[in-house]
PDB file of all heavy atoms in Angstrom:
ATOM      1  N   THR C  45       0.788  -2.672  -7.655  1.00 91.00           N
ATOM      2  CA  THR C  45       0.133  -1.883  -6.624  1.00 91.00           C
ATOM      3  C   THR C  45      -1.079  -2.639  -6.104  1.00 91.00           C
ATOM      4  O   THR C  45      -1.911  -3.091  -6.888  1.00 91.00           O
ATOM      5  CB  THR C  45      -0.319  -0.523  -7.174  1.00 91.00           C
ATOM      6  OG1 THR C  45       0.819   0.162  -7.680  1.00 91.00           O
ATOM      7  CG2 THR C  45      -0.969   0.312  -6.092  1.00 91.00           C
ATOM      8  N   LEU C  46      -1.168  -2.767  -4.782  1.00 91.00           N
ATOM      9  CA  LEU C  46      -2.336  -3.331  -4.119  1.00 91.00           C
ATOM     10  C   LEU C  46      -2.996  -2.191  -3.364  1.00 91.00           C
ATOM     11  O   LEU C  46      -2.320  -1.422  -2.690  1.00 91.00           O
ATOM     12  CB  LEU C  46      -1.929  -4.434  -3.141  1.00 91.00           C
ATOM     13  CG  LEU C  46      -1.161  -5.610  -3.730  1.00 91.00           C
ATOM     14  CD1 LEU C  46      -0.669  -6.530  -2.623  1.00 91.00           C
ATOM     15  CD2 LEU C  46      -2.045  -6.387  -4.684  1.00 91.00           C
ATOM     16  N   SER C  47      -4.324  -2.078  -3.467  1.00 92.00           N
ATOM     17  CA  SER C  47      -5.016  -0.951  -2.847  1.00 92.00           C
ATOM     18  C   SER C  47      -6.200  -1.399  -2.011  1.00 92.00           C
ATOM     19  O   SER C  47      -6.788  -2.445  -2.264  1.00 92.00           O
ATOM     20  CB  SER C  47      -5.515   0.017  -3.909  1.00 92.00           C
ATOM     21  OG  SER C  47      -4.442   0.559  -4.626  1.00 92.00           O
ATOM     22  N   PHE C  48      -6.548  -0.555  -1.042  1.00 92.00           N
ATOM     23  CA  PHE C  48      -7.692  -0.763  -0.168  1.00 92.00           C
ATOM     24  C   PHE C  48      -8.289   0.595   0.132  1.00 92.00           C
ATOM     25  O   PHE C  48      -7.564   1.565   0.339  1.00 92.00           O
ATOM     26  CB  PHE C  48      -7.258  -1.444   1.131  1.00 92.00           C
ATOM     27  CG  PHE C  48      -8.362  -1.598   2.142  1.00 92.00           C
ATOM     28  CD1 PHE C  48      -9.258  -2.648   2.059  1.00 92.00           C
ATOM     29  CD2 PHE C  48      -8.502  -0.688   3.174  1.00 92.00           C
ATOM     30  CE1 PHE C  48     -10.279  -2.791   2.985  1.00 92.00           C
ATOM     31  CE2 PHE C  48      -9.509  -0.818   4.110  1.00 92.00           C
ATOM     32  CZ  PHE C  48     -10.409  -1.873   4.011  1.00 92.00           C
ATOM     33  N   ARG C  49      -9.622   0.659   0.166  1.00 92.00           N
ATOM     34  CA  ARG C  49     -10.310   1.915   0.473  1.00 92.00           C
ATOM     35  C   ARG C  49     -11.264   1.673   1.644  1.00 92.00           C
ATOM     36  O   ARG C  49     -12.049   0.736   1.635  1.00 92.00           O
ATOM     37  CB  ARG C  49     -11.091   2.387  -0.744  1.00 92.00           C
ATOM     38  CG  ARG C  49     -11.879   3.632  -0.470  1.00 92.00           C
ATOM     39  CD  ARG C  49     -12.746   4.009  -1.632  1.00 92.00           C
ATOM     40  NE  ARG C  49     -13.779   4.933  -1.151  1.00 92.00           N
ATOM     41  CZ  ARG C  49     -14.617   5.555  -1.916  1.00 92.00           C
ATOM     42  NH1 ARG C  49     -14.596   5.365  -3.210  1.00 92.00           N
ATOM     43  NH2 ARG C  49     -15.515   6.359  -1.399  1.00 92.00           N
ATOM     44  N   THR C  50     -11.201   2.538   2.636  1.00 92.00           N
ATOM     45  CA  THR C  50     -12.116   2.440   3.776  1.00 92.00           C
ATOM     46  C   THR C  50     -13.472   3.006   3.386  1.00 92.00           C
ATOM     47  O   THR C  50     -13.617   3.635   2.338  1.00 92.00           O
ATOM     48  CB  THR C  50     -11.587   3.216   4.995  1.00 92.00           C
ATOM     49  OG1 THR C  50     -11.594   4.617   4.686  1.00 92.00           O
ATOM     50  CG2 THR C  50     -10.205   2.764   5.403  1.00 92.00           C
ATOM     51  N   VAL C  51     -14.433   2.835   4.254  1.00 92.00           N
ATOM     52  CA  VAL C  51     -15.720   3.500   4.056  1.00 92.00           C
ATOM     53  C   VAL C  51     -15.543   4.966   4.456  1.00 92.00           C
ATOM     54  O   VAL C  51     -14.648   5.313   5.223  1.00 92.00           O
ATOM     55  CB  VAL C  51     -16.836   2.843   4.900  1.00 92.00           C
ATOM     56  CG1 VAL C  51     -17.074   1.417   4.453  1.00 92.00           C
ATOM     57  CG2 VAL C  51     -16.532   2.892   6.369  1.00 92.00           C
ATOM     58  N   ALA C  52     -16.399   5.806   3.930  1.00 92.00           N
ATOM     59  CA  ALA C  52     -16.331   7.232   4.253  1.00 92.00           C
ATOM     60  C   ALA C  52     -16.982   7.481   5.609  1.00 92.00           C
ATOM     61  O   ALA C  52     -17.983   6.871   5.955  1.00 92.00           O
ATOM     62  CB  ALA C  52     -17.030   8.046   3.177  1.00 92.00           C
ATOM     63  N   VAL C  53     -16.378   8.381   6.377  1.00 93.00           N
ATOM     64  CA  VAL C  53     -16.955   8.829   7.644  1.00 93.00           C
ATOM     65  C   VAL C  53     -17.807  10.046   7.315  1.00 93.00           C
ATOM     66  O   VAL C  53     -17.292  11.075   6.896  1.00 93.00           O
ATOM     67  CB  VAL C  53     -15.850   9.174   8.671  1.00 93.00           C
ATOM     68  CG1 VAL C  53     -16.452   9.733   9.934  1.00 93.00           C
ATOM     69  CG2 VAL C  53     -15.003   7.955   8.973  1.00 93.00           C
ATOM     70  N   LYS C  54     -19.099   9.915   7.494  1.00 92.00           N
ATOM     71  CA  LYS C  54     -20.040  10.968   7.087  1.00 92.00           C
ATOM     72  C   LYS C  54     -20.010  12.165   8.035  1.00 92.00           C
ATOM     73  O   LYS C  54     -20.021  12.011   9.255  1.00 92.00           O
ATOM     74  CB  LYS C  54     -21.466  10.414   7.023  1.00 92.00           C
ATOM     75  CG  LYS C  54     -21.633   9.280   6.040  1.00 92.00           C
ATOM     76  CD  LYS C  54     -21.467   9.773   4.638  1.00 92.00           C
ATOM     77  CE  LYS C  54     -21.686   8.630   3.660  1.00 92.00           C
ATOM     78  NZ  LYS C  54     -21.448   9.021   2.313  1.00 92.00           N
ATOM     79  N   ASN C  55     -19.942  13.353   7.450  1.00 90.00           N
ATOM     80  CA  ASN C  55     -20.052  14.631   8.166  1.00 90.00           C
ATOM     81  C   ASN C  55     -19.086  14.777   9.333  1.00 90.00           C
ATOM     82  O   ASN C  55     -19.425  15.348  10.359  1.00 90.00           O
ATOM     83  CB  ASN C  55     -21.490  14.842   8.660  1.00 90.00           C
ATOM     84  CG  ASN C  55     -22.480  14.848   7.536  1.00 90.00           C
ATOM     85  OD1 ASN C  55     -22.213  15.400   6.477  1.00 90.00           O
ATOM     86  ND2 ASN C  55     -23.611  14.205   7.743  1.00 90.00           N
ATOM     87  N   ASN C  56     -17.861  14.249   9.200  1.00 86.00           N
ATOM     88  CA  ASN C  56     -16.893  14.365  10.290  1.00 86.00           C
ATOM     89  C   ASN C  56     -15.493  14.558   9.710  1.00 86.00           C
ATOM     90  O   ASN C  56     -14.664  13.657   9.764  1.00 86.00           O
ATOM     91  CB  ASN C  56     -16.935  13.143  11.201  1.00 86.00           C
ATOM     92  CG  ASN C  56     -16.123  13.346  12.467  1.00 86.00           C
ATOM     93  OD1 ASN C  56     -15.426  14.334  12.618  1.00 86.00           O
ATOM     94  ND2 ASN C  56     -16.199  12.402  13.365  1.00 86.00           N
TER      95      ASN C  56
END
Side-chain angles (χ1 to χ4, degrees):
T45 302
L46 302 173
S47 298
F48 175 82
R49 177 186 162 173
T50 67
V51 296
V53 176
K54 300 292 182 184
N55 301 320
N56 190 353

